[in-house]
């Protein structure tokens, strides 16, 4: 099971919107509405930001939103803030014997 | 408050074994599937293994299948990962993770991790 493909880095200025893509196959992203997104600050534990493609857990800012089209899921951060600078990972259920797979990770830089 | 505390990591020689433990508290442990996720130094997250609430279903990443065994003891609110035939590629921070209620593959809560270093 190969990792889902994410851009290595995405950057934006404060207040702007950025979008991170997460590309898989019909065996994972395209086959399920079970895509999640995680934020990880340096030396910190990952934090769940989005689940089931577009649902936000309680306490997560509504500046974070998720969507999916075909085999590609996306995380959009609106009104970019300095505190959003972190690594972001997507994950998905898969039809393979390895039940879940993460993305390669994207480093978000706030300019 | 959910607490997950991993232990058992350390420095181990290639080919040897190690057993990780995760002590859970603050929730009904036997209501949830549980997972191990690892992160090599400076690299991304990798799902390693998961187990259903009653141990009836387990799954492994291809990279560890046949070498790692996940188990749990609901009476002790504990999750385990037996790791055999360890190689340098297994060097990573190993996290125990509790999923979101009714969402087995959504990693809601994470421990602080236990570091495993495989080196001679």
């Amino acid at each position: 099971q190969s990792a889902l493909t994410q851009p290595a880095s995405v950057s934006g200025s404060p207040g702007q919107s950025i979008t991170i893509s997460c590309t898989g196959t019909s065996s994972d992203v395209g086959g399920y509405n079970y895509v999640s997104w995680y934020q990880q600050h340096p030396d910190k534990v990952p934090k769940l930001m989005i689940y089931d493609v577009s649902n936000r857990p309680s306490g997560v800012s509504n500046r974070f939103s998720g969507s999916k089209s075909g085999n590609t899921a996306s995380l959009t951060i609106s009104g970019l803030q300095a505190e959003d600078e972190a690594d972001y990972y997507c994950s998905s259920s898969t039809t393979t014997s390895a039940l879940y797979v993460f993305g390669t990770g994207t480093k978000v830089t706030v300019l | 408050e959910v607490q997950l505390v991993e232990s058992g990591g350390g420095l181990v020689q290639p080919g040897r074994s190690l057993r990780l433990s995760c002590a859970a508290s603050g929730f009904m442990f036997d209501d949830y599937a549980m997972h191990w996720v690892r992160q090599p130094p400076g690299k991304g997250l990798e799902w390693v293994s998961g187990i259903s609430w009653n141990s009836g279903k387990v799954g492994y990443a291809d990279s560890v299948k046949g070498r790692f065994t996940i188990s749990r003891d609901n009476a002790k609110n504990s999750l385990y990962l037996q790791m055999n035939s360890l190689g340098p590629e297994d060097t990573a921070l190993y996290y125990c993770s509790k999923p979101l209620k009714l969402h087995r593959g959504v990693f809601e809560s994470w421990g602080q991790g236990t570091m495993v270093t495989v080196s001679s």
Side-chain angles (χ1 to χ4, degrees):
Chain A
Q1 176 67 46
S2 299
L4 306 175
T5 301
Q6 299 179 231
S9 62
V10 173
S11 61
S13 299
Q16 287 187 330
S17 294
I18 62 169
T19 297
I20 304 167
S21 62
C22 169
T23 301
T25 69
S26 58
S27 296
D28 37 64
V29 174
Y32 297 94
N33 285 325
Y34 295 145
V35 177
S36 302
W37 290 90
Y38 303 86
Q39 176 192 65
Q40 187 179 34
H41 287 109
D43 297 321
K44 297 296 185 183
V45 170
K47 176 186 177 182
L48 175 65
M49 305 301 285
I50 295 286
Y51 68 97
D52 291 358
V53 176
S54 59
N55 292 317
R56 272 188 314 275
S58 173
V60 171
S61 170
N62 59 9
R63 297 186 299 103
F64 292 85
S65 62
S67 63
K68 192 189 86 165
S69 178
N71 295 337
T72 298
S74 299
L75 174 71
T76 298
I77 308 175
S78 304
L80 199 62
Q81 299 179 1
E83 67 205 48
D84 300 332
E85 188 162 288
D87 293 326
Y88 291 82
Y89 297 91
C90 61
S91 76
S92 172
S93 298
T94 89
T95 59
T96 69
S97 58
L99 304 175
Y100 306 100
V101 61
F102 279 95
T104 50
T106 298
K107 182 176 180 59
V108 168
T109 301
V110 181
L111 301 172
Chain B
E1 179 192 1
V2 172
Q3 282 203 320
L4 301 168
V5 179
E6 302 93 338
S7 61
L11 174 64
V12 61
Q13 293 180 328
R16 303 299 291 265
S17 299
L18 211 56
R19 189 195 196 207
L20 306 183
S21 299
C22 171
S25 61
F27 65 102
M28 294 295 291
F29 183 71
D30 52 8
D31 275 354
Y32 291 85
M34 293 293 293
H35 300 276
W36 289 100
V37 177
R38 69 184 179 183
Q39 186 169 33
K43 297 189 177 181
L45 300 171
E46 180 187 17
W47 178 81
V48 174
S49 182
I51 186 168
S52 63
W53 67 275
N54 63 353
S55 304
K57 182 174 182 179
V58 298
Y60 300 95
D62 290 344
S63 58
V64 307
K65 197 174 298 182
R67 300 187 300 121
F68 289 13
T69 302
I70 191 172
S71 63
R72 64 190 295 162
D73 185 336
N74 288 345
K76 295 183 177 180
N77 288 352
S78 293
L79 176 71
Y80 306 102
L81 187 68
Q82 177 67 42
M83 305 186 296
N84 299 332
S85 303
L86 285 162
E89 68 278 9
D90 298 314
T91 293
L93 185 62
Y94 284 73
Y95 293 106
C96 167
S97 179
K98 166 195 165 292
L100 189 65
K101 184 75 171 176
L102 302 178
H103 295 78
R104 289 191 302 269
V106 178
F107 310 106
E108 178 189 32
S109 302
W110 302 66
Q112 291 299 311
T114 186
M115 186 68 200
V116 173
T117 303
V118 184
S119 175
S120 54

